[in-house]
Amino acid sequence: MKPSAALNSPSEDPSVDEAPLLHVDLDAFFASVEILDDPTLLGKPVAVGGPASRGVVASASYEARRFGVRSAMPTVVARRLCPNLIVLPGRFDRYEDYSRQFHHVIRDLTPDFEPLGLDEVFADLRSLRLLNVRPIAAARALRHRINNELGLECGVGLGRNKLFAKLASKKSKPRVVQGNLVEGAGVVWVSAELEMQWLNELPVRALWGVGPATAAKLEKLGLPWVRDLVQVDEKTLASHVGPSLAATLWAFAHGEDNREVVVDRPVKSIGHEQTFLRSLQGMDELVVAARAHSAVVARALRGQGRVARTISIVVRFDDFTGVTRSQTLSFGIDDEFAITAIAEALLASIDLAHSVRLLGVHASSFIERSENQMQLTFGFEATSQNARERAQLVSRERQISYEALRDAVDDVRDKFGRASVGTASELRESGMEIETQRGRHAFGPEVSP
C-alpha cells in the first residue's frame, strides 16, 4: 500500500457528499494527558494501565510502542519488552476533563457527532453543505485546534461511511515500522479509487469488530484478507462466525456500512469493576467489595439524576471462568445500601467455592429520578420469600429511609469536595477515601504482592 502521506493529493478536497462522515481519534490519549500534566515524561516510554502482575496496558506513548508495547497487552509482557517503561495507574477524572474539551471543539464544527468512549468521535458533515465547507480543509483546521487548545495530537479520517472513515483515521496516524516512528498524514480521505484498493489489500483483522480470536478463526478458514470474504457465501460464513457477524463482515467486504451517526446516544449501563491484587475468597470478602462497588455506582446514578431498575453483578474466578447475575425491580434505586442489598442476594445465588479475581456491579434499565414511583407494600412478608425477593423489600425500604441523608451528603460533597464527608466504611487512617467510577486502577491492581 502507498505510504500514508501519499494517500491524498494536497490539492484535492472532496465535496461533503463525497466525504460526508468524519472520524477523529486522539493519539495515545491517556498517556498523552499524563505527559501534558508532567512534562518530565516527554520523550520517555509511558503506559497507562495496571502496573501489577494482573494489570493490562490501556494506552502507550509512541516511545513505548517502539519497543512493541500496545494497548490490551499484559503489563508484565510490556515490562519485558521495555524494561524502562513508566506505568501509571490512570486518572479518569482528568481524562474526562480533556474529553469534554475535545467534544466542545467538535461541537463548534458540527452538532451532529457521536462520541465513542473518551477519545473518538464520528461526525456527520452533511448539515454543512450550505456553508460550502470543504471536508479536508475542515479536518485540518480541526486537528490544528485540538493541538493548539488541548495540546493533543489526533488522526482524522473522511469517507462515505463509518467503515472507511474509521479506517482512514487509523491510516492518518503515526505508526512504528521496525522500531522507527513514521509520521502519518494527519488527515486521510478515502476516495472511490482508494476504497477499491483497500478492500483488495486489507487483512480481515483491520475490519471493525474483528478481534484476535475472530481473525484467527477466519485465517484458519483460509480467509485472511478482506478480498477473500467476497468469495464466500454469507450463509457459509454464518455457520462459522454466526449470522450477525457474518452479515456485517460480508457487507464490509463489499464496502457497505449503513450505520448512521447517532447523536446523544443514551447511556444504557453504569458499572464499576475491579480486578483484585489478591483474589477474594468467600461471601464475607465479596460483600465488602460489593458494598464499595455499589457506592460508586450509586454516586454515578445520582450524578445523572437517574435511578436503575436492574442491578447486575459480574464475577470472574481465578481460572478465568465467569458468572453474571441480574435482578430487575418494580421500582428504581440510586442508593448504595439498596444496591448492596440486591448485589448480596445475587452473590448468594453463585457457587463461591473458587477464588474471585474480579467483581463488577452494574446498574441499567434507567428511569428519571423525578419519575420514579415507590410505595412500601406492608403486606409483603419478607420472611416467607426467597433471597432476591427479601432483597427487593430491603432495597425499597433503604432507598426511602436513606434518601434525605444521602441527598444531604451529596450536597456537602458538591460544595466542599468528594472527601469532605462519607460513611464509616470510607474512613481510612489517612482520611476519607471515596472511590470514583471505574476505580482508581481500572486496568488491574496497583501494586504487585
Side-chain angles (χ1 to χ4, degrees):
M1 181 170 292
K2 300 175 184 177
S4 294
L7 288 173
N8 301 133
S9 166
S11 62
E12 62 181 335
D13 196 341
S15 68
V16 168
D17 290 320
E18 292 175 295
L21 298 189
L22 172 149
H23 181 261
V24 189
D25 190 358
L26 299 178
D27 288 356
F29 178 49
F30 296 167
S32 296
V33 170
E34 297 295 341
I35 293 169
L36 283 172
D37 284 353
D38 183 0
T40 64
L41 298 173
L42 188 64
K44 298 178 181 178
V46 175
V48 172
S53 58
R54 292 183 175 180
V56 295
V57 173
S59 176
S61 67
Y62 282 102
E63 288 79 9
R65 295 182 194 184
R66 292 179 62 183
F67 292 87
V69 178
R70 53 178 174 75
S71 62
M73 172 180 286
T75 304
V76 291
V77 176
R79 287 191 186 280
R80 284 201 295 267
L81 293 172
C82 181
N84 296 324
L85 184 66
I86 300 169
V87 182
L88 303 173
R91 302 172 298 153
F92 275 103
D93 289 348
R94 191 65 174 141
Y95 308 148
E96 287 170 344
D97 286 342
Y98 270 90
S99 183
R100 281 190 288 271
Q101 296 176 62
F102 169 47
H103 293 165
H104 286 321
V105 174
I106 300 294
R107 190 175 288 109
D108 284 347
L109 172 63
T110 174
D112 300 331
F113 71 92
E114 175 186 352
L116 298 179
L118 299 177
D119 58 345
E120 293 184 57
V121 161
F122 278 111
D124 191 331
L125 304 180
R126 284 172 287 197
S127 64
L128 306 179
R129 285 192 189 97
L130 297 180
L131 301 178
N132 294 319
V133 168
R134 306 302 296 188
I136 289 181
R140 288 173 177 159
L142 186 65
R143 287 190 73 241
H144 183 74
R145 277 198 64 187
I146 290 171
N147 182 248
N148 274 9
E149 297 179 19
L150 305 184
L152 298 171
E153 297 290 345
C154 67
V156 183
L158 293 160
R160 65 179 174 87
N161 57 32
K162 280 187 171 182
L163 170 66
F164 289 117
K166 171 82 170 176
L167 289 171
S169 70
K170 185 174 182 178
K171 290 290 184 183
S172 73
K173 301 175 76 172
R175 65 191 188 281
V176 175
V177 179
Q178 297 180 341
N180 296 312
L181 185 64
V182 178
E183 291 296 328
V187 175
V188 169
W189 163 52
V190 188
S191 63
E193 294 77 16
L194 197 54
E195 282 186 16
M196 296 303 298
Q197 179 183 332
W198 283 7
L199 292 176
N200 189 53
E201 296 180 351
L202 284 174
V204 291
R205 64 178 179 272
L207 294 178
W208 191 305
V210 177
T214 302
K217 181 181 292 186
L218 292 171
E219 288 174 5
K220 285 183 179 179
L221 294 172
L223 306 171
W225 304 97
V226 174
R227 62 176 178 267
D228 297 326
L229 295 175
V230 179
Q231 310 301 323
V232 180
D233 181 82
E234 185 179 332
K235 290 183 179 180
T236 302
L237 189 60
S239 66
H240 295 281
V241 300
S244 178
L245 182 56
T248 299
L249 292 178
W250 199 84
F252 285 176
H254 289 79
E256 299 305 320
D257 184 356
N258 295 323
R259 293 171 300 163
E260 298 290 336
V261 171
V262 180
V263 181
D264 296 328
R265 182 189 297 274
V267 176
K268 295 183 178 180
S269 176
I270 291 174
H272 181 76
E273 294 187 356
Q274 181 180 2
T275 300
F276 304 109
L277 176 61
R278 176 186 64 81
S279 294
L280 303 187
Q281 295 181 330
M283 187 70 173
D284 290 345
E285 290 189 346
L286 283 168
V287 165
V288 172
R291 190 175 297 126
H293 288 22
S294 297
V296 174
V297 172
R299 284 192 292 272
L301 281 168
R302 296 198 297 271
Q304 296 186 14
R306 294 175 172 181
V307 294
R309 291 182 57 239
T310 299
I311 303 300
S312 306
I313 63 169
V314 178
V315 175
R316 189 170 299 153
F317 300 104
D318 277 348
D319 62 359
F320 291 95
T321 60
V323 178
T324 61
R325 293 284 190 273
S326 64
Q327 178 69 38
T328 298
L329 313 174
S330 59
F331 55 94
I333 57 178
D334 64 359
D335 178 86
E336 48 261 50
F337 298 103
I339 295 173
T340 298
I342 298 297
E344 287 186 31
L346 294 173
L347 283 170
S349 71
I350 298 174
D351 180 2
L352 300 175
H354 301 288
S355 299
V356 174
R357 64 180 281 119
L358 176 145
L359 175 67
V361 176
H362 297 262
S364 57
S365 302
F366 298 134
I367 308 170
E368 294 299 320
R369 188 180 180 193
S370 59
E371 298 175 1
N372 190 35
Q373 299 294 323
M374 290 186 301
Q375 293 182 353
L376 283 173
T377 306
F378 293 104
F380 190 88
E381 294 295 334
T383 57
S384 65
Q385 308 300 320
N386 63 36
R388 294 194 187 188
E389 290 173 332
R390 290 197 301 273
Q392 288 199 48
L393 177 62
V394 172
S395 294
R396 184 185 288 113
E397 290 176 337
R398 287 179 172 174
Q399 174 74 12
I400 295 172
S401 301
Y402 285 94
E403 190 165 4
L405 173 61
R406 186 203 63 223
D407 288 351
V409 169
D410 284 348
D411 287 343
V412 172
R413 286 175 174 167
D414 287 342
K415 291 180 181 179
F416 303 109
R418 179 181 289 133
S420 60
V421 64
T423 63
S425 64
E426 295 164 335
L427 186 62
R428 305 288 185 273
E429 289 185 5
S430 58
M432 200 67 65
E433 184 173 307
I434 313 297
E435 283 207 63
T436 57
Q437 189 183 358
R438 286 166 293 194
R440 294 171 302 156
H441 314 293
F443 316 112
E446 181 179 10
V447 181
S448 294

